[in-house]
Amino acid sequence: MAVRCPDSHFYLSLVICHWSFLTENLRNMNVASSWKRSRRFPRVSVSFVSSWFVCALLCLLAKSARGDAGVLIPSNRPQPDPSILSLDEMAIDILIDSGDARVQVLQIFGSHTGEVLEGNYIFALGGRTSVSDFAVWDGVTRIPGVILERRRAGEIYNDLKWQAIDPGLLQMGERGADEARRTAVFTARIVPIPAFGTKRVEIEYHEVIPVEDLKSFFAVPLRPDAYRAQAAGRLEITLELRSAHALRDFEPVSKLYPIQIAERAPHRIRATYEGRNVSLAEDFAIRYSLDPARSDSLEILAYRDPSSGTPLPTEVSPAPVRPEPGFFQAAALLSPAEADASAKSEPRVLTALFDTSLSMQWEKLERSYQALETLLRALRPSDQFNVLLFNTEVAPFSPAPVAAEPQNVEKALAFVRSGPLRGGTDLKSALAAGLAQRSNGESYLVLLGDGGATRGTIHNGRLAAWYAQKWQELAEASRPRTYVFAVGDDANMPLLKMLARNDGLLEWVRSTEPIEFKLNAFIAKIGRRPLQNMRLTAAPDTNFDLIYPLEDSWFSGSMASWIGQYKQPAQAVFRARGLRGGRSVDLQATAALPERSLEHPHLPRAWARARVDALLEKIERDGEDRATIDEIVGLARKYKFVTPYTSFLAAPRALLRPRVIRPGDPLLRVKTDESIVSVVALFPFGLIKKLRYLKGEDIWQTRFLAPLEMADGTYSVRLILRDRMGRAYRESKTFVIASKPPVVRVKLDRDRYHRGDIVRLRAGASESTRRILGRMYGVAPFQLRWNPGAGSNTGEFVIPAHLPAGKYNLTVTAEDIAHNIGSREVAIEVLP
């Protein structure tokens, strides 16, 4: 018999749907129907289409509706169904440390059916977010994820799934790295969910929280977009907020989650919430302000763990290892005193590009319209504006910019509401039309949409380079500042970031998060200038490597931050210089970079994330190369986060190699992640063995004897694993003593063939079987693979044209994980 873990097997993959087609009814929708009185886009009846098309349509609509976080949908249902799968428990732990938010989410789902289920688990994260941990549970055992190169993770996952080991694969796309670079949506397919059982899923992510006019806003996505709100049987939220700058005006934004303040100190706030049968109808959100008393001063955070460069004890790995570098973050809260001084009173000319392609359905369209309406109403009567609607074509509100008088603003909004919502996205034509709008004053080109080009030039690097060239060809006084307000969980952030580099800025909102804070900050920057030529230097410069800014531009009242590496502990001088309102800004700080400091553990991953972002942008501009991809994979594996070229693979930390053994087999091999420094095995027959680490093979191993008198059957071995921080993990894994070979059964569609005929066969074998091969004289060996539709392993081969007529033996061999081999022969006849 085979080893089958008692809970489930599952795998994770990103679901990306394209708006390549819809019914003619959807093609002819117009924006006016999106805002009648409530501004809600009408739900379209699809009762006239077939059941297959209903499913396809729901998948398509889900592309623009990916604000969902922690939703588990039965695969045979178009939306969550709490009568089948319910969210029994949810715990959210939030730690915000100097602008870095670490969010840990645990969810337990319960099955209320006697059937074994499949499910799709959906969550969406922000543009400043990176997934840093992922785990699932096998019964009472936590199975943490490890980072692997994307293709290798897929290969191992498929192998483990076939061997009946519980794997999980979390990645940023099914179609490859190119598609993954353009999305922040993750979808996990969980297979199976046990009948009347539970499935426990964990995810951890980090998010950078910006500061705008001394204010910050943070949200955890909970409100579904495409589906009705789910309810949590029990919901716990814990929050800790730390800041080097004194905190002011802290308040929760969410009304559904009334938090209790446990501590309110100048530099720390702690709060909790607990509720039962809580409807997750809005995101959990907070906002707070920073005291300007210490503005225009440079603060230095540092982290260095000298032991992290040596992952194993010296007696296991005696070879010297280069110490891990230290990491620092330099941050300056820029004074808001000059905020209004940079604003110009001269008239402004604004051209708004408004995306009306089919990818902008539902929440994305509503949010884009809200942004446009707020933007136009914020203009002064002396300003001028124009609105260009674009999908496959470009439709201007006016041939030239008009005065921003109230009647013109109302006419423009009516023009937008009556515009058709259809077709693809010719972004290049829209940008060209925007650049062609002539202006005599300070001009802005504001792009509102998801940036997903589907017509014309669609390659990110080529489109961005084309736009930069056309922008540079304009006279300097005529070059518009390129402001981008990105909307939707699937916004094409790599492209939009490059477009905003043309003297502009980028803001991004998810499909469901509260929009007001980001939108108001975005509009407030129109007419203001960011700090210019803001740079950080560190001395002695030979002690520093690869310093990156965390934002492309900073305004007065924001937080300017850089992150980098230092090689050795030393006294260092940091200096940030730039221009604000034509006057110089010169901020200095002296800091002792420590030999050992573990106070800000997010800094290594934040630095690696910044480095990877720079490498991904290089790929967008110049294309892929092996060295760049290898560096991305190496950084993601070392600092543990998902990139378009890596995946989280969650399989048991201790995979017995093999999981099925024969009596007397002397070898136990255990694969763990790199943080583990000790593994001890407690065998069911009383033996306790400490495993030895084989550095060359990256595996732990010990020799032991399974007593010959042990009968075939299932046994448990307990494994105690300890990591570098001293934390212990206890796991109990089953294995099987198998001394008998697999039993093979073979069935042919017939037993007489002519040369050139296809022989199709089915084979069944014991559950412990890991590989089935077929062999026949004159035919290359072929593998039989599991076919769910046929309910057995299937394979086929062609009778060679040169094979003489006669009778032949077809041998099917099955090998189990203990390397026992069983076989079965069947006779076939080749006719003349």
Side-chain angles (χ1 to χ4, degrees):
M1 61 180 293
V3 179
R4 298 187 65 89
C5 294
D7 199 347
S8 66
H9 325 309
F10 63 96
Y11 65 97
L12 308 179
S13 58
L14 180 69
V15 175
I16 303 172
C17 304
H18 291 277
W19 293 88
S20 57
F21 68 98
L22 283 174
T23 65
E24 195 59 31
N25 301 58
L26 290 176
R27 289 187 184 277
N28 293 330
M29 285 185 199
N30 58 61
V31 181
S33 61
S34 302
W35 305 276
K36 295 203 174 171
R37 292 185 181 174
S38 63
R39 286 197 201 151
R40 297 297 298 178
F41 202 101
R43 299 299 174 183
V44 182
S45 171
V46 291
S47 59
F48 57 92
V49 294
S50 69
S51 59
W52 175 90
F53 188 81
V54 170
C55 296
L57 180 61
L58 289 169
C59 291
L60 289 169
L61 297 181
K63 175 183 182 290
S64 68
R66 285 300 184 205
D68 312 282
V71 176
L72 184 58
I73 307 169
S75 59
N76 60 350
R77 295 289 189 276
Q79 61 183 7
D81 188 340
S83 67
I84 297 176
L85 284 174
S86 63
L87 177 56
D88 294 347
E89 296 184 35
M90 185 172 188
I92 305 171
D93 183 66
I94 305 163
L95 172 62
I96 302 175
D97 180 8
S98 300
D100 176 87
R102 188 268 295 144
V103 182
Q104 295 175 333
V105 180
L106 163 66
Q107 291 177 289
I108 301 177
F109 296 91
S111 170
H112 305 285
T113 176
E115 301 178 4
V116 176
L117 299 175
E118 297 183 7
N120 293 320
Y121 176 78
I122 302 171
F123 59 95
L125 301 174
R128 296 182 175 94
T129 301
S130 61
V131 177
S132 52
D133 199 7
F134 162 68
V136 296
W137 287 72
D138 175 11
V140 296
T141 301
R142 183 180 187 270
I143 304 175
V146 295
I147 289 289
L148 295 174
E149 189 270 334
R150 185 184 184 89
R151 182 175 59 183
R152 178 60 178 150
E155 292 172 353
I156 295 177
Y157 161 71
N158 288 327
D159 185 51
L160 294 180
K161 183 178 66 172
W162 188 55
Q163 294 182 34
I165 300 172
D166 293 350
L169 185 63
L170 174 65
Q171 57 190 36
M172 295 178 66
E174 285 185 356
R175 292 175 174 82
D178 182 65
E179 187 71 46
R181 289 196 296 271
R182 308 178 188 211
T183 184
V185 182
F186 297 84
T187 296
R189 183 172 296 170
I190 300 177
V191 184
I193 302 167
F196 298 111
T198 61
K199 175 52 62 181
R200 181 168 173 165
V201 181
E202 295 179 14
I203 186 169
E204 177 188 276
Y205 65 89
H206 284 251
E207 181 173 355
V208 177
I209 304 176
V211 177
E212 305 287 357
D213 290 329
L214 302 181
K215 300 178 179 68
S216 286
F217 175 88
F218 169 74
V220 177
L222 296 177
R223 180 170 78 93
D225 182 4
Y227 315 109
R228 62 177 179 266
Q230 64 176 337
R234 181 182 178 188
L235 175 64
E236 293 183 358
I237 301 175
T238 58
L239 168 69
E240 182 174 353
L241 170 59
R242 306 172 188 166
S243 174
H245 296 271
L247 297 162
R248 300 181 358 182
D249 305 325
F250 172 86
E251 63 174 334
V253 178
S254 316
K255 304 302 181 185
L256 292 180
Y257 321 110
I259 58 176
Q260 302 296 315
I261 307 296
E263 178 182 358
R264 189 190 290 265
H267 298 274
R268 186 166 81 160
I269 291 173
R270 293 188 300 112
T272 60
Y273 167 79
E274 183 173 350
R276 294 187 178 276
N277 300 318
V278 181
S279 175
L280 306 181
E282 66 174 330
D283 293 346
F284 173 78
I286 60 170
R287 58 179 167 231
Y288 56 92
S289 302
L290 301 180
D291 191 330
R294 294 174 60 189
S295 60
D296 279 353
S297 63
L298 203 56
E299 303 282 345
I300 307 299
L301 307 178
Y303 175 92
R304 188 170 188 267
D305 181 4
S307 67
S308 61
T310 307
L312 297 166
T314 55
E315 66 268 17
V316 178
S317 178
V321 178
R322 183 174 66 88
E324 180 78 358
F327 300 88
F328 73 89
Q329 180 176 341
L333 182 61
L334 301 174
S335 170
E338 301 289 341
D340 293 332
S342 67
K344 296 183 178 180
S345 59
E346 64 188 54
R348 301 164 297 186
V349 180
L350 184 144
T351 301
L353 305 180
F354 190 86
D355 187 351
T356 57
S357 64
L358 283 172
S359 70
M360 293 298 294
Q361 306 257 9
W362 317 127
E363 293 281 357
K364 291 202 303 186
L365 182 62
E366 182 173 333
R367 285 162 178 268
S368 295
Y369 181 81
Q370 180 181 350
L372 177 66
E373 181 181 16
T374 306
L375 174 62
L376 295 185
R377 296 191 188 282
L379 296 176
R380 302 169 301 201
S382 59
D383 297 331
Q384 293 183 314
F385 77 94
N386 201 358
V387 178
L388 279 63
L389 306 183
F390 70 95
N391 39 64
T392 52
E393 301 174 349
V394 180
F397 163 64
S398 173
V402 299
E405 299 172 348
Q407 61 270 25
N408 288 334
V409 170
E410 295 302 330
K411 290 179 181 178
L413 294 175
F415 167 74
V416 174
R417 289 194 297 268
S418 63
L421 187 69
R422 65 173 130 195
T425 308
D426 190 345
L427 184 55
K428 181 178 180 180
S429 295
L431 292 170
L435 291 176
Q437 295 285 307
R438 300 302 178 187
S439 63
N440 297 322
E442 182 183 14
S443 60
Y444 293 81
L445 183 64
V446 181
L447 174 60
L448 302 160
D450 59 16
T454 61
R455 303 290 178 89
T457 302
I458 62 175
H459 182 272
N460 283 352
R462 286 194 287 271
L463 185 53
W466 168 85
Y467 180 77
Q469 179 184 351
K470 294 298 181 183
W471 187 85
Q472 287 286 347
E473 290 174 357
L474 297 173
E476 185 174 356
S478 300
R479 293 172 188 164
R481 300 184 64 193
T482 309
Y483 276 36
V484 179
F485 194 78
V487 179
D489 303 324
D490 56 349
N492 189 359
M493 298 302 290
L495 171 63
L496 298 177
K497 183 181 292 187
M498 288 187 284
L499 294 177
R501 295 267 168 80
N502 296 280
D503 195 20
L505 60 91
L506 169 66
E507 188 55 87
W508 177 81
V509 292
R510 294 190 304 267
S511 296
T512 61
E513 73 172 300
I515 190 176
E516 288 75 15
F517 179 85
K518 292 183 177 180
L519 177 57
N520 292 337
F522 179 81
I523 293 175
K525 293 172 183 174
I526 293 178
R528 294 168 52 189
R529 300 293 299 180
L531 276 72
Q532 296 175 302
N533 303 319
M534 197 70 179
R535 297 289 185 272
L536 179 77
T537 59
D541 57 2
T542 55
N543 195 33
F544 296 92
D545 269 338
L546 301 172
I547 300 174
Y548 295 98
L550 295 185
E551 298 286 345
D552 289 332
S553 62
W554 297 288
F555 287 76
S556 295
S558 66
M559 184 77 76
S561 297
W562 297 263
I563 194 161
Q565 286 185 341
Y566 66 91
K567 300 175 184 176
Q568 299 293 335
Q571 196 78 2
V573 177
F574 297 88
R575 192 172 184 181
R577 288 177 287 186
L579 293 174
R580 178 171 53 196
R583 287 178 283 183
S584 64
V585 175
D586 192 344
L587 311 177
Q588 296 187 48
T590 300
L593 299 176
E595 168 73 23
R596 184 177 188 273
S597 176
L598 307 180
E599 189 175 353
H600 304 286
H602 68 276
L603 292 181
R605 184 180 290 110
W607 172 85
R609 179 77 257 182
R611 173 65 179 165
V612 166
D613 286 344
L615 294 172
L616 290 174
E617 186 167 324
K618 173 181 178 292
I619 288 175
E620 291 290 344
R621 291 193 315 267
D622 307 328
E624 294 180 334
D625 63 85
R626 189 69 255 173
T628 302
I629 294 174
D630 287 347
E631 184 175 357
I632 290 172
V633 171
L635 289 169
R637 293 188 64 183
K638 184 173 184 179
Y639 296 104
K640 200 173 182 183
F641 58 92
V642 176
T643 74
Y645 295 94
T646 56
S647 302
F648 262 118
L649 179 67
R653 235 182 232 272
L655 294 179
L656 299 183
R657 300 294 191 188
R659 287 194 63 174
V660 181
I661 62 176
R662 287 179 256 177
D665 194 341
L667 198 62
L668 169 65
R669 292 163 66 85
V670 175
K671 176 74 172 178
T672 72
D673 66 46
E674 61 184 12
S675 67
I676 297 301
V677 298
S678 171
V679 180
V680 176
L682 287 71
F683 291 92
F685 43 86
L687 179 66
I688 300 176
K689 293 281 288 186
K690 184 175 181 179
L691 280 68
R692 184 168 61 93
Y693 182 72
L694 304 181
K695 185 177 180 180
E697 299 182 53
D698 187 27
I699 204 164
W700 295 82
Q701 175 178 298
T702 189
R703 294 188 177 276
F704 73 101
L705 292 176
L708 292 175
E709 63 271 17
M710 289 187 73
D712 285 8
T714 302
Y715 298 88
S716 294
V717 58
R718 295 174 58 197
L719 295 162
I720 301 176
L721 305 93
R722 191 174 301 276
D723 65 16
R724 289 192 296 267
M725 304 297 292
R727 293 172 297 203
Y729 303 88
R730 293 174 175 83
E731 299 184 4
S732 179
K733 295 300 175 186
T734 57
F735 66 96
V736 171
I737 294 292
S739 59
K740 298 180 176 62
V743 177
V744 184
R745 299 170 299 277
V746 180
K747 182 177 180 180
L748 296 172
D749 56 350
R750 60 183 191 274
D751 57 9
R752 306 179 75 188
Y753 300 88
H754 291 90
R755 288 185 286 264
D757 285 351
I758 298 176
V759 179
R760 296 182 175 88
L761 66 157
R762 300 183 181 186
S766 305
E767 289 187 68
S768 60
T769 300
R770 64 183 299 269
R771 184 170 59 176
I772 302 177
L773 291 177
R775 293 180 175 87
M776 193 183 83
Y777 174 80
V779 177
F782 58 94
Q783 190 165 347
L784 285 78
R785 301 183 182 277
W786 177 251
N787 184 336
S792 65
N793 300 280
T794 61
E796 62 181 39
F797 65 94
V798 178
I799 301 293
H802 59 78
L803 195 66
K807 291 187 177 181
Y808 296 86
N809 286 329
L810 170 62
T811 303
V812 177
T813 302
E815 179 185 8
D816 66 17
I817 306 177
H819 304 295
N820 297 307
I821 295 176
S823 63
R824 178 71 181 270
E825 289 187 352
V826 292
I828 68 171
E829 183 178 0
V830 176
L831 302 175

